[in-house]
Amino acid sequence: MREKYFIKQLATFLIPLLIPIIILGSLSTITTQHDIKADINQNSSFLLLQSQTQLEMILNELDTLYLALYDNADIFNELSIILKSPYYTYESSTSNRIISSFLNAFTSSKPYIQSFYLYVDNPHNRFLSSVDGLVTLDHFYDTAWYDQFMNYTDSAKKWTSRRDIRFYEFETTPTPIVTFYNVLVPQKTAIILNIRPKYIENILDDITTYQGQHLFVLDEEDNIIFSNQHKELFEDKDIQWIADHPSGSFDMTTSQGKVNITKVESERYKWKYVSVIPHSELYKTPSRILYLTLVFVGISVVCGFFLTYYLVRRNYKQLKMIRTLIKSADDTHVLPKPPVKVRDEYSYIIQNMITHFIEHRYIRTQLLEKKYRLQVMELLALQSQINPHFLYNTLHSVYWESVALTGKPNKVSEMIENLSDLLSYSFSNPTKTVTWSEEIANSISYINIQKKRYKDKFDVIFEYEEEITKLYTMKLLLQPLLENSLYHGIKEKEGLGLIKVKLTLKEEQLSIVVIDNGIGIEPLRLSQIQQRLESDEERTKHVGLFNTNKRLKLTYNNKYNFRIRSKLGLGTMVEIVIPIRQERYE
């Protein structure tokens, strides 16, 4: 059963994980291959068209030279006379110098031109060279062009040929050039232009975008005249197959592997521009995606196996423990120890089951204890109701006894009467709010008692508008503030003390300010009081302030402001800002 459970969990875990990876990797590889091939074919076509444009711009500049020589009858006739004349006269020397200067200026301004020859049929085998001027064939290093030209018998034509020449006899490595022929066959006249292929091949090499990309140009006879690489990648039959292939983009297998070929043909010059990109470079990204997909699949299988083994082993133990726990639910068995931390659903179930069984086992004891506590609390509540009532009745008896002794009201009876009013105000409905009129009257009773005690050492001024007396507030809000001013400010002061209570409406809030001219509070002590107010610390001699602050926080839920300001020797100000209450509430 344990092995079947493992196999089931392994399949449940791995199959949903592997299927998306395999599908995503396969689709990514196929889509990327298709898109990359389309993009590369498009980019290659663009590069080839760019190469075609640059080369044809060069050829168009050469056409300018052809027109200048062939169409200008004076220049052409003068050159013919110079080449055919057996003697070199002053007039022919001047004409030769002028024409040579023109040709040198043209070739020198074009870095891709190696040399320029002009030949007109003559018995002396002379021709004009842009390098050496007027020369004869038997004294010139390059004569291969002459043989090819003289062997040509068809009509007037332009063609191109790639040749290797040696400028000096001691050279071991010939210099490659591309020769452009422009001939007039009946007149045996030719303009021969030699181009440095390195200049064109550098252009082709600069515009390549992929490593190993091969760009080359085929002439009208399907021979390679320009190429950015000179290694033997194709045989002659391969070159011919590429030239004759009807499609502009296709794949081909070579000795170096499979390649992608893009071809563009020039209609004007019948040249073919070819781009060759190895598949290893072309499909590098899809191959990497496929490789990473297989790696991730392998890692997922290995990790999934070990993870499933771990989870199955743990879950099997947890299920076995749950089964044991259910059997141990009887009161006669000892329950196992619950898990320390809830780490998964099984530990959560076990912890809750054990907690449930413990609660079920001790529920009766808990009920009995709660019942006992309720009875004690009820007795205490009844007793707390009896004590204030007994104290209030006793004060009334003392009041009438003091009046009976003197036969009229006296200072003692007045203090007892004020104290009775304070107790009645405090103990009657303590959770209900009162009007500010009632709160102020209670505060006056407290002040009357203290004045009897301190023999008019201080005076209290109330300042408020009549409409404020109709608003509601909590009980005993002013009395602790007055007591704090009296005991901590006025009591230690020499001379008459003064306390001012000012109530002011500020939009939807009520400001309560209690100011005294007592001894004040030292800055360090004031800072300690403010810190304790913020931290709700209760161990302080300013009990009234802290109790009032706590009652405000419980009542208004921090929607109030409690501020203390004091200066040593001048007095203290306590300001409370609370929301306005226009109705009675609990």
Side-chain angles (χ1 to χ4, degrees):
M1 179 179 178
R2 188 172 181 178
E3 289 75 11
K4 292 182 179 180
Y5 182 70
F6 172 75
I7 295 173
K8 180 180 178 181
Q9 294 297 318
L10 181 63
T12 304
F13 182 78
L14 285 182
I15 291 176
L17 178 65
L18 294 179
I19 289 178
I21 294 178
I22 295 173
I23 294 176
L24 181 62
S26 302
L27 291 178
S28 300
T29 302
I30 296 172
T31 304
T32 306
Q33 285 182 347
H34 179 270
D35 293 342
I36 287 178
K37 188 173 183 179
D39 290 341
I40 287 180
N41 289 335
Q42 184 178 359
N43 293 336
S44 299
S45 298
F46 175 77
L47 292 178
L48 295 177
L49 290 174
Q50 183 179 357
S51 304
Q52 177 186 348
T53 302
Q54 292 181 351
L55 286 178
E56 291 187 357
M57 286 177 62
I58 294 174
L59 297 178
N60 290 337
E61 291 179 353
L62 300 180
D63 288 342
T64 304
L65 178 62
Y66 298 151
L67 292 175
L69 294 176
Y70 280 150
D71 292 351
N72 193 322
D74 294 336
I75 295 177
F76 190 79
N77 291 332
E78 190 66 28
L79 285 174
S80 299
I81 292 172
I82 292 172
L83 294 174
K84 293 178 181 180
S85 175
Y87 303 105
Y88 202 54
T89 65
Y90 174 77
E91 289 80 5
S92 62
S93 174
T94 303
S95 300
N96 179 43
R97 186 170 60 254
I98 294 172
I99 296 172
S100 297
S101 298
F102 167 75
L103 295 177
N104 289 334
F106 180 82
T107 56
S108 299
S109 63
K110 313 297 180 184
Y112 47 85
I113 297 179
Q114 191 272 333
S115 60
F116 176 84
Y117 308 150
L118 175 62
Y119 178 86
V120 177
D121 189 28
N122 65 89
H124 309 292
N125 290 330
R126 293 175 182 168
F127 68 95
L128 186 63
S129 169
S130 62
V131 178
D132 298 323
L134 190 63
V135 296
T136 58
L137 291 171
D138 55 351
H139 291 86
F140 198 66
Y141 60 87
D142 181 20
T143 58
W145 62 271
Y146 178 78
D147 297 333
Q148 189 174 0
F149 159 63
M150 295 302 294
N151 292 331
Y152 185 76
T153 57
D154 292 339
S155 58
K157 185 180 179 183
K158 298 178 182 179
W159 76 90
T160 310
S161 175
R162 186 181 179 104
R163 304 184 297 121
D164 294 328
I165 63 173
R166 288 184 174 87
F167 297 101
Y168 304 99
E169 293 182 356
F170 57 81
E171 284 185 326
T172 57
T173 303
T175 301
I177 62 171
V178 176
T179 302
F180 290 82
Y181 295 84
N182 193 340
V183 300
L184 297 176
V185 176
Q187 294 86 0
K188 288 294 182 179
T189 302
I191 296 177
I192 310 299
L193 187 65
N194 297 318
I195 299 294
R196 295 185 178 93
K198 188 65 177 178
Y199 180 86
I200 307 299
E201 291 168 350
N202 287 338
I203 295 177
L204 296 178
D205 195 52
D206 290 340
I207 64 175
T208 57
T209 56
Y210 294 93
Q211 185 177 1
Q213 185 176 6
H214 186 190
L215 295 178
F216 60 88
V217 181
L218 301 177
D219 63 9
E220 60 277 358
E221 298 296 332
D222 297 332
N223 297 316
I224 296 178
I225 55 174
F226 301 110
S227 174
N228 69 327
Q229 296 183 13
H230 299 289
K231 60 183 180 179
E232 296 297 332
L233 183 63
F234 299 104
E235 298 178 0
D236 293 340
K237 61 179 181 178
D238 297 330
I239 297 293
Q240 192 62 45
W241 188 82
I242 293 173
D244 296 338
H245 199 284
S247 176
S249 177
F250 51 92
D251 292 333
M252 180 179 178
T253 302
T254 66
S255 59
Q256 304 296 327
K258 204 168 185 181
V259 296
N260 174 262
I261 296 178
T262 305
K263 181 177 65 174
V264 174
E265 185 172 355
S266 172
E267 295 181 358
R268 180 177 179 182
Y269 295 97
K270 304 302 179 183
W271 287 1
K272 300 177 182 64
Y273 300 81
V274 182
S275 169
V276 180
I277 303 177
H279 271 214
S280 59
E281 183 67 26
L282 180 66
Y283 297 121
K284 182 182 293 184
T285 300
S287 300
R288 188 182 296 113
I289 293 175
L290 181 60
Y291 172 76
L292 292 176
T293 301
L294 295 177
V295 170
F296 287 148
V297 169
I299 293 175
S300 300
V301 170
V302 174
C303 294
F305 180 85
F306 286 105
L307 182 61
T308 305
Y309 177 79
Y310 169 75
L311 293 176
V312 168
R313 183 181 178 185
R314 186 194 62 180
N315 294 344
Y316 189 81
K317 290 182 178 179
Q318 299 280 19
L319 291 173
K320 188 175 181 181
M321 186 174 181
I322 292 175
R323 183 180 178 185
T324 304
L325 182 62
I326 294 174
K327 292 182 178 180
S328 303
D330 191 4
D331 291 342
T332 58
H333 292 80
V334 178
L335 293 174
K337 186 178 180 180
V340 179
K341 293 183 179 179
V342 177
R343 299 177 180 176
D344 52 22
E345 63 276 9
Y346 294 103
S347 58
Y348 175 79
I349 293 173
I350 292 172
Q351 189 179 60
N352 279 271
M353 289 180 67
I354 294 176
T355 303
H356 173 74
F357 291 146
I358 292 174
E359 290 178 354
H360 178 73
R361 188 172 292 180
Y362 296 104
I363 190 66
R364 294 182 181 179
T365 305
Q366 293 175 354
L367 288 175
L368 291 175
E369 183 179 356
K370 288 182 180 180
K371 185 177 180 180
Y372 171 76
R373 288 181 179 179
L374 287 174
Q375 290 175 349
V376 172
M377 290 175 65
E378 185 176 0
L379 290 174
L380 291 175
L382 293 174
Q383 184 176 350
S384 65
Q385 292 177 1
I386 294 173
N387 291 338
H389 184 68
F390 171 75
L391 180 59
Y392 183 73
N393 290 336
T394 303
L395 283 175
H396 267 280
S397 300
V398 174
Y399 170 79
W400 289 113
E401 286 294 329
S402 66
V403 172
L405 290 174
T406 59
K408 60 180 180 179
N410 50 63
K411 291 183 178 182
V412 176
S413 64
E414 290 177 2
M415 292 180 68
I416 294 173
E417 185 177 7
N418 288 325
L419 181 58
S420 298
D421 293 338
L422 285 175
L423 292 175
S424 176
Y425 180 80
S426 302
F427 293 140
S428 61
N429 297 323
T431 61
K432 289 187 178 180
T433 55
V434 295
T435 62
W436 273 104
S437 177
E438 295 173 304
E439 178 67 12
I440 293 171
N442 178 71
S443 301
I444 292 174
S445 297
Y446 171 75
I447 292 169
N448 290 334
I449 294 175
Q450 296 298 341
K451 280 188 174 184
K452 295 291 190 301
R453 179 180 178 185
Y454 293 102
K455 298 179 181 180
D456 296 329
K457 181 179 175 59
F458 69 95
D459 197 4
V460 180
I461 300 174
F462 285 88
E463 183 179 325
Y464 55 87
E465 296 180 0
E466 187 64 26
E467 59 179 322
I468 295 177
T469 60
K470 300 177 182 179
L471 301 176
Y472 288 88
T473 183
M474 66 170 68
K475 284 185 177 183
L476 299 176
L477 182 57
L478 289 178
Q479 186 269 334
L481 304 181
L482 293 170
E483 183 180 0
N484 186 74
S485 295
L486 183 60
Y487 279 93
H488 299 288
I490 304 299
K491 180 181 177 182
E492 306 297 333
K493 175 183 174 62
E494 295 182 0
L496 181 65
L498 180 63
I499 301 174
K500 182 178 180 180
V501 180
K502 185 177 180 180
L503 307 180
T504 308
L505 288 175
K506 296 180 179 180
E507 295 181 354
E508 297 297 324
Q509 292 182 320
L510 178 64
S511 173
I512 305 108
V513 180
V514 179
I515 307 174
D516 65 69
N517 62 347
I519 61 174
I521 307 174
E522 295 179 354
L524 179 59
R525 178 60 180 164
L526 179 62
S527 176
Q528 293 175 351
I529 294 173
Q530 291 174 340
Q531 290 178 1
R532 290 174 180 175
L533 282 172
E534 293 176 358
S535 62
D536 289 340
E537 186 176 344
E538 297 181 358
R539 294 183 179 180
T540 176
K541 63 181 181 179
H542 295 271
V543 178
L545 286 180
F546 288 93
N547 286 350
T548 301
N549 181 55
K550 193 166 186 179
R551 290 171 62 212
L552 288 171
K553 184 177 293 186
L554 293 173
T555 302
Y556 297 105
N557 194 20
N558 291 326
K559 294 181 180 179
Y560 73 99
N561 188 17
F562 194 105
R563 185 174 58 170
I564 302 176
R565 290 185 178 179
S566 182
K567 184 164 285 190
L568 191 63
L570 293 179
T572 303
M573 182 199 75
V574 178
E575 181 184 13
I576 299 174
V577 180
I578 60 175
I580 293 176
R581 301 283 190 174
Q582 296 182 349
E583 296 180 355
R584 189 182 298 274
Y585 65 96
E586 292 189 5

